[in-house]
Amino acid sequence: MFKIQTLNKISKKGLDLLSRDDYEVAGEIPNPDGIIVRSFDMQTMDIPASVRAIARAGAGVNNIPVQKCTEKGIVVFNTPGANANAVKELVLTGMLLSSRRVFEGITWTKSLKGQDVDIHQVVEKEKSKFGGTELKGKKLGIIGLGAIGVMVANDAIALGMDVIGYDPYITIDNAWGMDHRVQKSNSLDVLLSEVDYLTIHVPLNDSTKGMINADKLALMKKGVKILNFARSGLVNNADLMKGLDSGQVGFYICDIPDEEILDHAKILCIPHLGASTEEAEENCAIMAAKEISNYLETGNIKNSVNFPETDLPFTSDYRITISNKNIPSMVGQITTALASGKANIADMINKHKGDTAYNIINLDDALSPEVVENLKKIEGVISVRYLENKK
Ligand SMILES: NC(=O)c1ccc[n+]([C@@H]2O[C@H](COP(=O)([O-])OP(=O)(O)OC[C@H]3O[C@@H](n4cnc5c(N)ncnc54)[C@H](O)[C@@H]3O)[C@@H](O)[C@H]2O)c1
């Protein structure tokens, strides 16, 4: 029986995947094997020594002391892409809102209330103020073809847009998942010079901060519409507002409002609603529950921020998993300790991520507790788990 502590309300759809025959799940539980968390701040929390894994139902892990966890051999998971569809749908909404003056039109229509006018007549007379353009046939540029960017690309193709993407680090899986009609740009500047709409889907870091600035705006077509549903800081706000005032930029719509852009007439700020759907919360919980149960039951690791992706089919009756410092001669010492305990290795895998290495070793026979203790004593070994195949 594994014990899972939940530090926030986690969607039932996720927790239901943890069969109550094998899992005890509660907000308060002594000696948990795993923790599922959303936003609870674990930075100052005393994490029980029994904890083997923490799954964050969401992408960011700022609320988890990842380095401390790594030192203790605790695997930290997140759920990348689980909210991608929610963000994609809001990006599509943003593209439509930037093309059709729906928001302004609705606001104006509401203002007619109580004005003692013939509504039908006034609407027909004034509606031309809110005319727009269509997405079909326009060119969309996408910076960052990850979980969200690829979904936006595919749906924009379905809407009849021409789509061009730029991502020098695209993964093979994301490339496989993309509509073949999406054009590839090897140069950000070329992409910028061609598009009617630009949408940004990259992480904020030193190399992407301010990536859309005055120089880049100058390369773009006059009246370009820009969407930023990734992070504040990717676009230089001062340069953007100059571009909007001069007409170089037609419209800016973002999901991450900054004080200085809130009241600009050509900017729509959404209050960070990208991932705020019931389905996204459920998807995150489902993914977190699958990751943590897979790890507790098999030792296999997928979507960890501090341990390497490691997958070895559990084809034997027993296996041992060992995390250790990524230093020379560890594998030799581990296999020697197993051999001296007369253990026969059926299969094994060794991976590393940064300073941490992780091994999964399938064994033909059961292992004596002394061998497990000897493995724990090897200098550089961080944690050891001995697992029986229940399936
Ligand atoms: N609005 C919201 O609520 C919300 C929700 C989830 C994510 N986000 C933001 O959206 C971003 C994208 O999310 P995702 O799930 O698609 O992430 P992802 O990691 O799946 O994709 C990011 C992509 O950006 C690419 N990339 C990195 N640096 C680049 C560069 N300099 N030029 C071009 N491409 C580059 C990467 O190769 C990767 O393919 C996240 O970093 C996050 O900041 C926002």
Side-chain angles (χ1 to χ4, degrees):
M1 194 83 162
F2 293 111
K3 292 186 198 170
I4 302 285
Q5 182 175 16
T6 53
L7 293 181
N8 294 97
K9 193 170 180 312
I10 304 294
S11 162
K12 188 171 165 335
K13 285 219 171 142
L15 298 183
D16 281 353
L17 294 176
L18 305 171
S19 145
R20 295 308 186 262
D21 293 339
D22 302 319
Y23 288 88
E24 212 179 313
V25 182
E28 291 287 337
I29 197 163
N31 304 320
D33 301 286
I35 291 177
I36 304 183
V37 61
R38 275 170 55 203
S39 55
F40 184 91
D41 187 359
M42 298 181 69
Q43 290 290 358
T44 52
M45 168 184 169
D46 272 335
I47 298 174
S50 56
V51 171
R52 301 277 172 235
I54 297 170
R56 153 96 168 101
V61 287
N62 295 347
N63 57 326
I64 302 171
V66 176
Q67 182 57 33
K68 244 197 258 173
C69 289
T70 311
E71 286 159 15
K72 291 182 183 172
I74 300 173
V75 183
V76 179
F77 297 93
N78 68 347
T79 58
N83 54 22
N85 191 65
V87 180
K88 173 208 74 181
E89 289 190 7
L90 202 67
V91 171
L92 297 178
T93 310
M95 278 206 285
L96 292 163
L97 285 174
S98 69
S99 310
R100 309 291 291 271
R101 304 189 59 203
V102 181
F103 179 76
E104 298 88 329
I106 292 172
T107 310
W108 173 78
T109 310
K110 266 182 181 267
S111 76
L112 299 177
K113 177 82 181 167
Q115 284 203 20
D116 197 20
V117 288
D118 181 330
I119 297 291
H120 296 155
Q121 222 178 41
V122 176
V123 162
E124 290 311 316
K125 187 163 163 249
E126 301 290 334
K127 70 178 183 187
S128 61
K129 287 200 292 199
F130 305 107
T133 54
E134 297 184 16
L135 296 179
K136 191 172 175 186
K138 304 295 185 310
K139 191 155 189 170
L140 170 68
I142 304 179
I143 310 178
L145 295 163
I148 299 168
V150 165
M151 283 190 174
V152 171
N154 292 348
D155 281 16
I157 290 278
L159 287 169
M161 300 184 85
D162 289 332
V163 181
I164 181 166
Y166 170 75
D167 188 336
Y169 322 105
I170 189 170
T171 65
I172 293 170
D173 279 349
N174 281 332
W176 270 106
M178 200 156 55
D179 191 295
H180 70 278
R181 288 166 288 184
V182 176
Q183 301 158 51
K184 173 186 167 200
S185 180
N186 290 322
S187 148
L188 177 58
D189 289 359
V190 169
L191 176 145
L192 294 176
S193 69
E194 292 182 0
V195 301
D196 305 298
Y197 292 79
L198 175 73
T199 185
I200 309 165
H201 299 290
V202 297
L204 178 67
N205 54 39
D206 287 346
S207 72
T208 59
K209 189 162 186 254
M211 73 191 302
I212 300 302
N213 54 26
D215 291 345
K216 298 296 181 195
L217 293 174
L219 298 172
M220 302 181 78
K221 283 190 191 172
K222 197 168 168 62
V224 63
K225 295 177 175 114
I226 302 178
L227 297 98
N228 177 6
F229 285 62
R231 283 289 176 267
S232 160
L234 293 167
V235 176
N236 180 308
N237 284 338
D239 293 352
L240 169 76
M241 286 195 285
K242 273 189 207 149
L244 285 161
D245 293 340
S246 72
Q248 175 62 14
V249 181
F251 205 81
Y252 181 65
I253 180 156
C254 71
D255 196 25
I256 313 92
D258 287 316
E259 169 79 28
E260 65 264 29
I261 63 171
L262 289 181
D263 58 353
H264 197 286
K266 291 188 193 169
I267 296 181
L268 268 190
C269 292
I270 298 173
H272 202 176
L273 297 182
S276 299
T277 65
E278 283 173 27
E279 292 86 344
E281 247 171 53
E282 280 171 15
N283 289 341
C284 288
I286 288 169
M287 207 162 159
K290 281 184 180 168
E291 289 164 354
I292 206 164
S293 57
N294 185 35
Y295 175 70
L296 290 174
E297 290 169 30
T298 72
N300 288 337
I301 297 178
K302 188 168 165 66
N303 294 329
S304 168
V305 295
N306 61 341
F307 274 69
E309 185 125 347
T310 314
D311 184 20
L312 183 70
F314 204 163
T315 47
S316 56
D317 289 336
Y318 305 93
R319 75 172 18 174
I320 192 125
T321 73
I322 301 166
S323 60
N324 60 266
K325 289 187 181 151
N326 185 20
I327 49 177
S329 81
M330 291 305 298
V331 174
Q333 292 184 73
I334 290 166
T335 50
T336 303
L338 287 169
S340 60
K342 306 261 180 294
N344 201 28
I345 295 175
D347 206 351
M348 72 176 286
I349 188 169
N350 165 273
K351 295 274 196 86
H352 74 271
K353 185 168 191 157
D355 294 338
T356 309
Y358 184 66
N359 312 268
I360 302 178
I361 302 169
N362 282 350
L363 301 166
D364 284 335
D365 302 300
L367 210 56
S368 74
E370 296 92 273
V371 180
V372 177
E373 286 313 308
N374 287 341
L375 285 165
K376 287 182 185 167
K377 283 185 203 145
I378 297 172
E379 201 176 326
V381 164
I382 301 167
S383 68
V384 178
R385 294 180 67 218
Y386 177 55
L387 301 171
E388 263 181 62
N389 195 346
K390 299 265 164 48
K391 300 275 150 73

